[in-house]
Amino acid sequence: MINYPQIDPIAIQLGGIKIYWYGIAYLVSFALAWILARYRAKNFGYDWNNETITDFIFYCALGTIIGGRLGYVLFYGLIITYHDPWFPLKIWQGGMSFHGGLLGVIGAIYLFSRKQKQNFITVLDFAAPLAPIGLFLGRISNFINGEVFGRVTTLPWGMVFPNADALPRHPSQLYEALVEGVLLFMILWLYTRKSRVVGTPGGVFLFCYGIGRFVCEFFREPDSHMGFILFRQLTMGQLLSIPMVLLGLGILLHCNKKTNC
């Protein structure tokens, strides 16, 4: 068993002002996405200036935060909201959903595309390799906060999390950081280094993320207020990932039959 590193979730405290690692992760991920977006725009034929890129990241940031919170409330927090109607507004208590954030970003990119008179699918392809940055830092923040921990394990790297019981558990946040962050970034970055059929980078993202999340959920403890959703085996995260896999596969099959999707 490995000792869980006790890291204060509060990175900086100045008087009554508290800055959490989770908030820093969001800021850093958007900053890194801006840097990589500039690189992609310069080297992959996107005629975007710095102002356009900044607008793009701003739209994506709003979509991530608003969609992530609404998604959590709809997918995971309806029971909590039933007992506490003000829960959706209590963002300081945490609770963000990737699947909700994804829908929020797609909506934000649609609005951005219309404003900039850009092809919606092309902009989605542009965004695909940038998303794993936030996924990686978000999972690291989950680990620091000791939340969304894994299931009980006898493996030597099991950890006892302070917000759980005294049993060693999978550090599933780190599994997800490696799969959804590092591995997915490498796949998408290498895949998009060459010109691809329009739509396929987005399809690869949906398919690979869905598969990775589905597998990682087998090591992650289901939300205590929800438990398993289907067949006493599948979690909400897995059920939400299945449509992503099917949609991503459908996009790839469809687009590879055409010169332009």
Side-chain angles (χ1 to χ4, degrees), residues 194-215:
K194 296 181 180 180
S195 178
R196 301 291 181 179
V197 176
V198 175
T200 55
V204 169
F205 172 82
L206 291 172
F207 180 78
C208 291
Y209 175 86
I211 291 290
R213 176 67 181 270
F214 191 91
V215 172

Side-chain angles (χ1 to χ4, degrees), residues 14-34:
L14 301 173
I17 301 175
K18 298 178 181 179
I19 302 176
Y20 290 82
W21 286 111
Y22 208 80
I24 292 176
Y26 270 93
L27 292 176
V28 172
S29 64
F30 293 137
L32 291 176
W34 183 82

Side-chain angles (χ1 to χ4, degrees), residues 48-71:
W48 292 9
N49 57 31
N50 286 345
E51 182 180 353
T52 301
I53 293 171
T54 301
D55 283 348
F56 168 73
I57 297 298
F58 177 74
Y59 272 75
C60 289
L62 285 181
T64 299
I65 295 170
I66 296 174
R69 182 58 179 176
L70 291 177

Side-chain angles (χ1 to χ4, degrees), residues 45-190:
Y46 288 82
D47 187 22
W48 292 9
N49 57 31
N50 286 345
E51 182 180 353
T52 301
I53 293 171
T54 301
D55 283 348
F56 168 73
I57 297 298
F58 177 74
Y59 272 75
C60 289
L62 285 181
T64 299
I65 295 170
I66 296 174
R69 182 58 179 176
L70 291 177
Y72 183 83
V73 172
L74 291 174
F75 301 144
Y76 300 93
L78 287 179
I79 296 176
I80 301 175
T81 303
Y82 176 78
H83 295 286
D84 180 7
W86 294 104
F87 171 73
L89 301 178
K90 296 180 178 180
I91 57 175
W92 60 88
Q93 293 182 357
M96 297 286 282
S97 162
F98 164 78
H99 297 92
L102 175 63
L103 294 175
V105 169
I106 291 174
I109 288 177
Y110 174 76
L111 295 176
F112 170 83
S113 302
R114 292 198 61 179
K115 177 186 176 183
Q116 298 291 334
K117 295 180 173 58
Q118 300 273 346
N119 181 279
F120 172 57
I121 303 299
T122 301
V123 180
L124 284 177
D125 288 346
F126 179 85
L130 308 179
I133 300 170
L135 293 171
F136 173 79
L137 291 173
R139 294 308 181 195
I140 295 299
S141 297
N142 290 150
F143 180 76
I144 291 174
N145 291 343
E147 60 191 6
V148 295
F149 41 75
R151 304 181 192 183
V152 175
T153 180
T154 57
L155 292 173
W157 56 82
M159 296 182 180
V160 175
F161 289 90
N163 297 327
D165 45 32
L167 299 174
R169 295 176 174 273
H170 285 284
S172 56
Q173 312 96 323
L174 301 183
Y175 301 170
E176 292 185 272
L178 292 174
V179 174
E180 302 169 7
V182 177
L183 181 59
L184 185 57
F185 175 80
M186 292 173 61
I187 291 172
L188 288 166
W189 194 260
L190 292 174

